[in-house]
Amino acid sequence: MRRKLRSPLPQRHGLDAVRLRTPAGTSWTTMRDHLVERLPRVDPARIDAMLREQRIVDRDGPIAPDAPYVPESFLWFHRDLPTEVPVPFEIGIVHRDDELVVVDKPHFLATIPRGQHIVETALVRLRRELGLPTLSPAHRLDRVTAGLLMFVVRPERRGAYQTLFRDRLVRKTYEAVARYDPQLALPRTARSRIVKERGVICAREEPGPVNAVTTVELLEHRSGPDGLRLGRYRLTPETGRTHQLRLHMSALGVPILGDDFYPVLTEKPLDDFRRPLQLLASSLEFTDPVSGEERSFRTRIALQSFTSYAAWAGSWSPS
């Protein structure tokens, strides 16, 4: 197996440098000309500045602004980072050893860099805070979902742990807080067909073969403010469709508190940390593919709305 070409640039802010491979053709006179065409979203003046500042390198070092085009070569550079809203909540370390890091991810923090969320992500934060530059996620949680998230320390072990999640060999449970409906018979198993189209924010249920299965159990219920009756639910997914738990709870008539997608999509600014989605990844259990031992992890987060609805509704604190 061919070894991955190592970047001559160190990580910056916990992020690897971008690597580009130039094509075999000779349509460009200089490397600069190729980069301008290759990176249409980057202002050509910015590319010129990066070349002057020696921020674009090949295997021999920085390339000059007038460096001739070299086909089938490699270039590395760090992208300019977007301005991000800081997520004002810490990541809790649940477990750490030579193979795994298991954390309690707070609400509003994305798992990995994507779109508007780059530095303010669990992966980038943990790489910096723990000094583990090769840390990688074994699975993902939605930005608005809190709870257990597992990372792999050693790159050579990544595939083994990611395969556990891919093949659904990890037993996962979630907790949620939603309205309590005494007419809703529980426990029950929700079964439906969920479709998520690329470029569309919300998923939907539609007729057809079932591809999403969730067991819903009521753990307890209590009275809330103004006559609101709240339930705390355990959700056990047998499948892993996008937004599956949120869709199934909404379809049962008890949408999860703080859900801005279901049943109605509501736009929410990225700096609004009020009323976090009351959905929590609460447990992970599996047979370790490396050691063979049984692993079991439990969250240390409690969903705030069930014990203090007023604090959840008015505070930025997600726990």
Side-chain angles (χ1 to χ4, degrees):
M1 184 172 66
R2 181 181 297 180
R3 293 183 61 185
K4 182 178 179 181
L5 193 62
R6 190 168 186 173
S7 171
L9 293 176
Q11 286 185 345
R12 188 184 67 171
H13 304 298
L15 293 166
D16 294 324
V18 175
R19 188 187 75 177
L20 297 181
R21 187 176 190 272
T22 60
T26 56
S27 302
W28 305 275
T29 303
T30 66
M31 285 294 205
R32 185 264 183 195
D33 294 338
H34 171 65
L35 288 169
V36 168
E37 183 173 326
R38 182 79 172 268
L39 306 172
R41 295 185 180 181
V42 181
D43 190 322
R46 182 59 186 148
I47 293 175
D48 291 335
M50 293 174 69
L51 289 168
R52 289 195 305 270
E53 296 164 7
Q54 300 188 331
R55 293 180 55 187
I56 303 176
V57 306
D58 60 16
R59 282 187 273 192
D60 297 321
I63 64 171
D66 59 351
Y69 178 75
V70 179
E72 298 184 291
S73 62
F74 291 94
L75 302 176
W76 289 266
F77 62 92
H78 284 286
R79 293 187 187 274
D80 292 330
L81 298 176
T83 300
E84 297 183 58
V85 176
V87 178
F89 312 119
E90 295 183 357
I91 302 173
I93 304 298
V94 174
H95 172 86
R96 179 180 178 181
D97 61 29
D98 291 340
E99 303 289 352
L100 298 175
V101 174
V102 182
V103 305
D104 266 331
K105 184 188 79 66
H107 297 280
F108 303 111
L109 188 68
T111 298
I112 61 172
R114 186 178 181 184
Q116 301 178 75
H117 310 285
I118 305 298
V119 172
E120 288 296 313
T121 59
L123 175 62
V124 173
R125 275 199 193 179
L126 289 168
R127 281 179 171 178
R128 294 198 318 263
E129 294 173 6
L130 302 181
L132 296 172
T134 60
L135 196 70
S136 59
H139 64 121
R140 302 179 190 180
L141 286 179
D142 287 347
R143 187 180 74 91
V144 291
T145 302
L148 294 175
L149 187 58
M150 193 167 86
F151 293 85
V152 184
V153 175
R154 300 163 61 183
E156 64 269 26
R157 304 293 199 202
R158 180 185 309 156
Y161 288 105
Q162 289 179 340
T163 297
L164 284 179
F165 287 89
R166 183 198 68 191
D167 294 346
R168 305 206 61 79
L169 299 175
V170 178
R171 299 174 294 281
K172 299 186 288 185
T173 63
Y174 293 75
E175 287 187 16
V177 176
R179 182 178 63 85
Y180 168 64
D181 179 1
Q183 302 303 312
L184 180 63
L186 294 175
R188 70 165 60 192
T189 299
R191 304 174 185 273
S192 69
R193 178 171 183 79
I194 292 177
V195 175
K196 174 69 167 65
E197 296 178 2
R198 183 182 296 273
V200 178
I201 295 177
C202 294
R204 69 178 187 275
E205 292 183 306
E206 64 177 31
V210 169
N211 64 3
V213 180
T214 306
T215 298
V216 181
E217 303 169 83
L218 178 67
L219 297 175
E220 56 181 321
H221 63 88
R222 64 182 295 273
S223 296
D226 301 323
L228 178 66
R229 303 174 74 181
L230 299 174
R232 187 168 70 90
Y233 300 86
R234 178 189 293 124
L235 310 179
T236 305
E238 295 181 22
T239 53
R241 311 303 298 187
T242 299
H243 298 171
Q244 173 178 320
L245 304 180
R246 298 161 69 175
L247 266 170
H248 279 167
M249 289 294 284
S250 181
L252 291 174
V254 285
I256 300 171
L257 291 187
D259 194 339
D260 296 317
F261 283 17
Y262 308 101
V264 178
L265 176 62
T266 304
E267 295 293 336
K268 189 173 185 179
L270 291 178
D271 61 352
D272 186 350
F273 300 109
R274 295 171 298 172
R275 298 192 175 213
L277 177 71
Q278 294 298 275
L279 180 61
L280 174 68
S282 56
S283 72
L284 292 174
E285 296 179 344
F286 56 92
T287 302
D288 193 294
V290 176
S291 68
E293 68 178 300
E294 293 300 314
R295 297 268 205 167
S296 179
F297 303 106
R298 296 288 183 272
T299 184
R300 298 171 184 170
I301 297 176
L303 291 171
Q304 186 183 46
S305 64
F306 193 74
T307 55
S308 181
Y309 183 89
W312 166 78
S315 172
W316 279 18
S317 174
S319 59

